[in-house]
């Protein structure tokens, strides 16, 4: 059975783009076909200036929405990154394999660092190195596949490069993963700026539909979406990005095809109305389940506790192997555990 790993960063409220581009696929497909792990990557939220209380609040909300989207703890592992020490342990080892040039070529680093400088702020070192932490997130679990949006593909390529380099230098330790992408709506765009991704971190404006938006708010945002010059509805992502974004959202919500749907509509108004209603209906069960889970916080906490225990047990052997391979002495307790384990094996074999 293949192993799949992916995560969400609690830097803002989760959006329609997060759901259509990732979370729904995780619930409908990935948790059923693979040994799947889904993580709230809260350590990644510390790479920029942040409010600690808000990070905690958004981390809990993200975990609750993962469950509300249909992830089943009986089928997959849901946990919070900072609850499993192996992520940070492996990250430093991989930093000793990565290069400064690789980090500075990361597109997201260039963009986020530029924005931070424009605001007059300083760029944290963790913003430069967080792609290595992302690589550690993936490699610690021996993941075969990483479902990601187009904007994260470069980070998965870095992960592959680090895994191959480590294996060549220090002996085979890591599975080399590959990125996978959903066929439709892999990158839902901002309704007001269709050239930009519908991101949760950078904007609170009318171009972003959040998973917990009220139905009327959803309708208002979609009906005010930017379209393009002309009146005919044509699927042309390059020449008509606004209309193409609406068609892709509608297709993702209804199971249709953007090109085929373009022939159904004669006006932007009709397209917007149907898209708005499709989004409202798509979010309705998620919001209802989220409300139920918020009324039972103990259940969510137990899921995260059990998920972290399971994830820790899965990651530790690989991370310990990486420590040995790169030249680090095993800790005394690790040696003791190995001796006890070997002794138990002898006793069992003798009994046979």
């Amino acid at each position: 059975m293949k192993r799949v790993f992916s995560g969400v960063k609690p830097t803002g409220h989760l959006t329609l783009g997060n759901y259509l581009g990732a979370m729904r696929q995780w619930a409908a497909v990935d948790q059923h076909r693979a040994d799947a792990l889904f993580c709230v990557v809260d350590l990644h939220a510390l790479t920029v200036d942040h409010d600690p209380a808000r990070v905690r609040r958004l981390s809990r909300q993200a975990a609750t929405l993962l469950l509300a989207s249909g992830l089943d703890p009986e089928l997959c592992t849901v946990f919070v990154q900072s609850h499993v020490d192996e992520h940070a342990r492996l990250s430093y080892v991989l930093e000793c394999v990565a290069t400064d040039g690789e980090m500075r070529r990361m597109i997201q680093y260039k963009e986020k660092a530029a924005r931070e400088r424009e605001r007059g702020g300083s760029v944290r070192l963790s913003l430069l190195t967080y792609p290595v932490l992302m690589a550690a997130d993936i490699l610690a679990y021996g993941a075969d596949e990483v479902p990601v949006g187009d904007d994260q593909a470069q980070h998965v390529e870095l992960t592959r490069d680090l895994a191959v380099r480590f294996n060549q230098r220090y002996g085979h330790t890591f599975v080399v993963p590959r990125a996978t992408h959903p066929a439709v709506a892999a990158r839902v765009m901002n309704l007001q700026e269709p050239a930009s991704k519908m991101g949760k971190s950078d904007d609170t404006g009318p171009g972003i539909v959040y998973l917990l938006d009220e139905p009327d708010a959803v309708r208002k945002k979609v009906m005010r979406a930017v379209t393009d010059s002309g009146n005919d509805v044509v699927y042309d992502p390059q020449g008509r990005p606004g209309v193409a974004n609406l068609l892709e959202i509608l297709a993702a919500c209804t199971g249709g095809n953007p090109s085929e749907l373009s022939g159904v509509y004669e006006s932007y108004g009709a397209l917007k109305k149907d898209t708005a209603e499709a989004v409202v209906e798509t979010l309705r069960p998620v919001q209802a389940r989220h409300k139920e889970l918020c009324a039972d916080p103990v259940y969510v906490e137990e899921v995260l506790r059990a998920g972290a225990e399971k994830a820790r047990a899965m990651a530790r052997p690989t991370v310990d192997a990486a420590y040995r391979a790169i030249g680090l002495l095993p800790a005394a307790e690790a040696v003791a555990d190995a001796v006890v384990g070997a002794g138990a094996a002898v006793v069992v074999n003798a009994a046979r």
Side-chain angles (χ1 to χ4, degrees):
M1 197 177 205
K2 290 184 180 297
R3 180 165 291 175
V4 169
F5 177 94
S6 201
V8 293
K9 184 164 57 174
T11 50
H13 299 287
L14 296 181
T15 72
L16 178 67
N18 297 125
Y19 182 68
L20 295 181
M23 295 162 62
R24 187 174 64 171
Q25 170 83 8
W26 299 347
V29 178
D30 292 329
Q31 69 173 340
H32 298 282
R33 69 174 180 85
D35 182 9
L37 299 100
F38 301 108
C39 181
V40 178
V41 287
D42 55 342
L43 294 176
H44 292 296
L46 310 185
T47 60
V48 294
D49 189 32
H50 62 276
D51 174 2
R54 185 170 187 266
V55 170
R56 284 190 291 270
R57 185 169 63 252
L58 290 175
S59 296
R60 178 178 292 277
Q61 184 185 89
T64 306
L65 280 169
L66 287 177
L67 297 174
S69 71
L71 293 184
D72 184 347
E74 297 298 321
L75 299 175
C76 66
T77 305
V78 180
F79 66 105
V80 175
Q81 178 191 32
S82 63
H83 295 176
V84 180
D85 293 344
E86 277 63 32
H87 292 257
R89 288 182 61 209
L90 183 56
S91 182
Y92 179 75
V93 167
L94 293 178
E95 284 185 14
C96 298
V97 178
T99 68
D100 177 75
E102 285 176 316
M103 297 299 97
R104 296 188 187 279
R105 285 194 295 272
M106 294 289 107
I107 294 172
Q108 287 207 8
Y109 168 72
K110 293 179 180 179
E111 294 176 346
K112 292 181 179 180
R115 286 198 297 269
E116 193 64 31
R117 293 188 182 101
E118 287 174 2
R119 289 195 289 259
S122 58
V123 179
R124 299 186 181 191
L125 179 62
S126 56
L127 184 63
L128 179 66
T129 60
Y130 98 88
V132 178
L133 176 57
M134 180 176 174
D137 298 338
I138 298 165
L139 297 179
Y141 297 100
D144 302 284
E145 298 179 4
V146 188
V148 292
D150 295 338
D151 59 320
Q152 293 292 336
Q154 187 185 33
H155 291 158
V156 179
E157 284 305 309
L158 173 69
T159 302
R160 290 171 55 85
D161 291 343
L162 294 180
V164 169
R165 189 179 306 154
F166 190 101
N167 290 346
Q168 290 175 341
R169 290 181 181 176
Y170 305 113
H172 185 79
T173 305
F174 298 119
V175 173
V176 180
R178 66 184 183 91
T180 59
H181 309 279
V184 175
R187 198 176 191 198
V188 177
M189 312 306 282
N190 189 300
L191 295 174
Q192 292 297 315
E193 300 176 24
S196 303
K197 186 182 74 166
M198 188 181 284
K200 60 183 180 297
S201 307
D202 307 320
D203 193 355
T204 57
I208 300 176
V209 175
Y210 295 103
L211 295 188
L212 297 179
D213 276 348
E214 294 290 335
D216 285 347
V218 172
R219 294 185 183 99
K220 183 179 296 185
K221 290 178 179 181
V222 175
M223 294 304 295
R224 293 180 177 177
V226 168
T227 49
D228 310 287
S229 59
N231 296 314
D232 54 329
V233 178
V234 178
Y235 182 62
D236 179 4
Q238 297 301 318
R240 312 280 288 277
V243 174
N245 188 36
L246 290 171
L247 288 167
E248 289 190 355
I249 292 172
L250 178 60
C253 290
T254 61
N257 177 280
S259 296
E260 294 176 0
L261 286 170
S262 66
V264 174
Y265 295 96
E266 297 182 354
S267 70
Y268 293 160
L271 172 61
K272 288 181 177 182
K273 183 177 179 181
D274 282 2
T275 301
E277 292 307 317
V279 172
V280 168
E281 291 307 313
T282 296
L283 296 184
R284 192 182 303 279
V286 177
Q287 294 178 351
R289 179 58 177 152
H290 176 266
K291 185 176 181 180
E292 293 174 358
L293 291 168
C294 286
D296 190 6
V298 174
Y299 169 76
V300 176
E301 290 173 4
E302 176 57 26
V303 167
L304 296 179
R305 184 199 61 77
E309 287 184 1
K310 185 178 177 182
R312 193 176 303 115
M314 295 167 70
R316 182 164 293 172
T318 298
V319 177
D320 286 348
Y323 269 50
R324 291 192 300 270
I326 205 169
L328 299 175
L329 284 173
E333 59 267 23
V335 174
D337 290 344
V339 171
V340 171
V346 170
V347 170
V348 170
N349 288 333
R352 290 176 178 172

